[in-house]
Amino acid sequence: MNTPTRTAGSIFLSTLPAGRSDRRLALAVAIASTAIFLAAAPFAKRPLAPVPAFLPLYQSALVINDLITAVLLYGQFRILHSRALLALAGGYLFCAAMAIFHLLSFPGLFAPAGLLGAGPQTTAWLYFFWHGGFPLFVTAYALLKDRPHQAGRAQTGVVTPVLFGAALALAAAVALMLIATLGHNALPEIMLGDADASTKVFVASVTWLLILVALVALGRRRPHSVLDLWVMIVLCAWMFDVALASVLNHGRYDLGWYAGRIYGLLAASFVLVVLLLENSSLYAKLAKAHEDERRERRLVQEKSAELAELNKELEAFSYSVSHDLRAPLRVVDGYASMIEEDHGGQLDANARRLLKVLRENAKQMAQMIEDLLAFSRLGRKQPTTERVTVEELVNRVIAEQRMTYADRAVEFSVGQLGVARADPALLKQALTNLIGNAVKYTRGRYPARVEIGIKPAEAPGGAPVYYVKDNGAGFDMRQSHRLFGVFQRFHSPQEFEGTGVGLASVERIIVRHGGRIWAESRPNEGAVFYFTLEPDRAEEAKRQPTAA
């Protein structure tokens, strides 16, 4: 079944594209309606017994159906802010008002000649005004369908268009009622008692034409939503209604007159039924979503408890690693140092070289353990963000790097980096790793350059992009997917020292601050590391120029 995916923006009938199953159902209803019409048409003039209670019951059902449909459509307008929905809702409110006026003016129900000052032609003219007016609202719905929704309108801003649209629909109904009553004598004669006059066919033809115009206007507005399909079915049913009750029949209370009213009731029910089914479906989804949310919350609580236990185990493991691994390494390095100091003169060159390798590897292993412990602590420590002047923090890191690499001539360039919301200690650790790497991998470059700067946000209102750029060894971007992994190195330890944990720590720090990090590089052409941080919005607001 080719059913479209119901995304957040297409869960309503007015926005949900019609799928194959929707089209098949609508086509089946259209075929059934046509078949019934063709079966009833030859017998439309057959007289039947008058049933005085039929019309009040029928009209009351119409009014209720149309009012509920209008309310549901106004409710969707409140959510979607679509002027097309406002027009269609007004059409159903217009139909409800016209059904009331038609009922009150019908001769013999509440008064011999009907209420509202009705004349012999009033009821028939109200019928055609009613059936010709609704297609005009549908045409407006079709023309407004592609207009952009007025998203972002406050709830208080929805009341005014709803009231205005409802008032306009009711005013149109009242105006047509006054034309059919006060202007009765100026209208052509279309009824001869309970029988039809010959001129009634021309009036019905104009009504048919208006329905066809609305049907074509809506049919051409593609893609069709589910609501569009059912409004088109309504228009088809109205054509059968007018044909049976006003063209093919002889007058009131014959088979065509009764059958036309039944078509009118069905037409008023189609959209209401699918809207009610939609509401029940949305309610079921809401209930399911609520239950899923409760289930997810319970799972999160259970996982949080499990993570708390794991953190305790990780703490214990960290202490174990600290004691069980670092202590033996200190012993190895200590004894190697003692041998080197006490018996260095008695050792040949190869023994002294091997002793030096032993001490260097012990120190490298100790540093790797320290880096791993620091990396594991990053996963447990929650960043405590505050207002940080990034440029000052960068200058502190550069000063430390100058002391560490006092024998190196590195040119640093620092831009105006502004203020960010970050944990100062964690951000300093990330900057130390990034700038330290830049310095480390520019060894052998003359001059060695490291630039720390900032670029504007990639999107309006987004976070600015910081970068650390060097002219060092660089790397092949084909290996970039391994860049931020633990123990991932693109150069041998003999070329550049390090444990392969630094960039993994940087990524974890940036991500825990809600940012992201990426890099660009070419072998032997340096590298640029980009990362984002949440800016200090208060500082940004101060820098914005105020309107005069």
Side-chain angles (χ1 to χ4, degrees), residues 52-67 95-106 109-110 123 126-127 130-131 241 257 261 264-265 268:
F54 173 79
L55 194 65
L57 292 174
Y58 157 75
Q59 299 284 83
S60 299
L62 279 183
V63 172
I64 293 173
N65 282 5
D66 289 338
L67 284 177
C95 287
M98 292 301 291
I100 293 172
F101 296 150
H102 182 271
L103 177 64
L104 294 177
S105 67
F106 200 86
L109 286 182
F110 301 99
T123 302
L126 284 174
Y127 173 87
W130 169 15
H131 285 71
D241 178 358
W257 188 85
R261 262 84 188 145
L265 181 59

Side-chain angles (χ1 to χ4, degrees), residues 386-396 417-421 424 427 431 466 543:
E386 60 184 68
R387 185 176 180 273
V388 176
T389 305
V390 182
E391 189 174 340
E392 294 180 1
L393 204 58
V394 167
N395 287 328
R396 286 168 52 191
L417 303 179
V419 179
R421 300 291 304 180
L427 181 57
L431 290 170
Y466 298 88
R543 296 182 180 181

Side-chain angles (χ1 to χ4, degrees), residues 180 235 294 297 423 459 489:
L235 292 174
R294 290 179 57 187
R297 189 163 60 244
D423 185 310
R489 293 178 52 84

Side-chain angles (χ1 to χ4, degrees), residues 99-175:
I100 293 172
F101 296 150
H102 182 271
L103 177 64
L104 294 177
S105 67
F106 200 86
L109 286 182
F110 301 99
L115 300 178
L116 304 176
Q121 312 299 318
T122 297
T123 302
W125 274 108
L126 284 174
Y127 173 87
F128 286 114
F129 288 154
W130 169 15
H131 285 71
F134 177 71
L136 297 179
F137 284 93
V138 175
T139 303
Y141 165 76
L143 296 177
L144 293 171
K145 219 168 76 72
D146 298 333
R147 299 288 182 89
H149 296 181
Q150 297 171 334
R153 183 193 293 272
Q155 183 174 342
T156 54
V158 175
V159 176
T160 300
V162 168
L163 292 178
F164 179 77
L168 191 63
L170 293 176
V174 170

Side-chain angles (χ1 to χ4, degrees), residues 208-456:
W208 257 355
L209 181 61
L210 292 174
I211 296 173
L212 281 173
V213 168
L215 193 57
V216 171
L218 187 54
R220 294 181 62 182
R221 295 285 174 168
R222 296 176 181 272
H224 294 141
S225 68
V226 177
L227 181 60
D228 296 341
L229 282 185
W230 289 104
V231 172
M232 287 190 282
I233 295 298
V234 168
L235 292 174
C236 292
W238 274 49
M239 292 182 66
F240 298 145
D241 178 358
V242 173
L244 288 170
S246 302
V247 177
L248 301 177
N249 72 324
H250 178 69
R252 294 179 181 135
Y253 301 116
D254 57 17
L255 188 143
W257 188 85
Y258 281 112
R261 262 84 188 145
I262 293 173
Y263 266 107
L265 181 59
L266 289 174
S269 303
F270 286 142
V271 171
L272 174 61
V273 169
V274 293
L275 285 173
L276 290 176
L277 289 175
E278 176 201 35
N279 276 8
S280 63
S281 174
L282 290 177
Y283 181 81
K285 291 178 181 178
L286 179 63
K288 183 179 182 300
H290 178 66
E291 182 60 31
D292 291 344
E293 188 271 337
R294 290 179 57 187
R295 189 182 301 111
E296 289 294 329
R297 189 163 60 244
R298 286 196 300 268
L299 288 174
V300 168
Q301 291 172 350
E302 293 172 1
K303 291 296 182 183
S304 297
E306 292 177 8
L307 286 175
E309 290 298 322
L310 287 175
N311 280 337
K312 292 180 181 178
E313 294 178 6
L314 187 58
E315 288 284 354
F317 173 75
S318 298
Y319 285 120
S320 174
V321 168
S322 175
H323 179 270
D324 296 342
L325 292 182
R326 287 191 295 187
L329 285 173
R330 289 196 190 101
V331 172
V332 170
D333 183 61
Y335 276 110
S337 177
M338 291 171 57
I339 293 172
E340 189 176 33
E341 291 176 359
D342 297 341
H343 306 285
Q346 303 174 15
L347 300 175
D348 59 19
N350 187 52
R352 287 195 297 272
R353 181 185 64 80
L354 292 175
L355 195 61
K356 182 180 180 181
V357 170
L358 176 64
R359 293 198 63 190
E360 287 178 350
N361 278 274
K363 289 179 180 178
Q364 185 178 0
M365 180 64 73
Q367 184 61 48
M368 185 178 295
I369 293 171
E370 292 292 340
D371 289 346
L372 274 177
L373 291 175
F375 182 73
S376 68
R377 284 192 293 270
L378 287 176
R380 304 192 301 272
K381 184 177 180 181
Q382 188 65 29
T384 305
T385 61
E386 60 184 68
R387 185 176 180 273
V388 176
T389 305
V390 182
E391 189 174 340
E392 294 180 1
L393 204 58
V394 167
N395 287 328
R396 286 168 52 191
V397 172
I398 290 174
E400 294 173 0
Q401 292 296 316
R402 290 189 187 280
M403 294 177 62
T404 303
Y405 297 95
D407 59 334
R408 298 272 307 280
V410 181
E411 297 179 3
F412 289 97
S413 174
V414 182
Q416 295 183 353
L417 303 179
V419 179
R421 300 291 304 180
D423 185 310
L426 290 178
L427 181 57
K428 183 175 181 295
Q429 182 179 346
L431 290 170
T432 299
N433 277 313
L434 288 175
I435 298 173
N437 273 359
V439 173
K440 177 170 62 178
Y441 287 104
T442 54
R443 188 175 64 199
R445 303 283 168 157
Y446 299 99
R449 297 190 182 93
V450 177
E451 179 184 350
I452 302 96
I454 187 172
K455 300 196 303 182

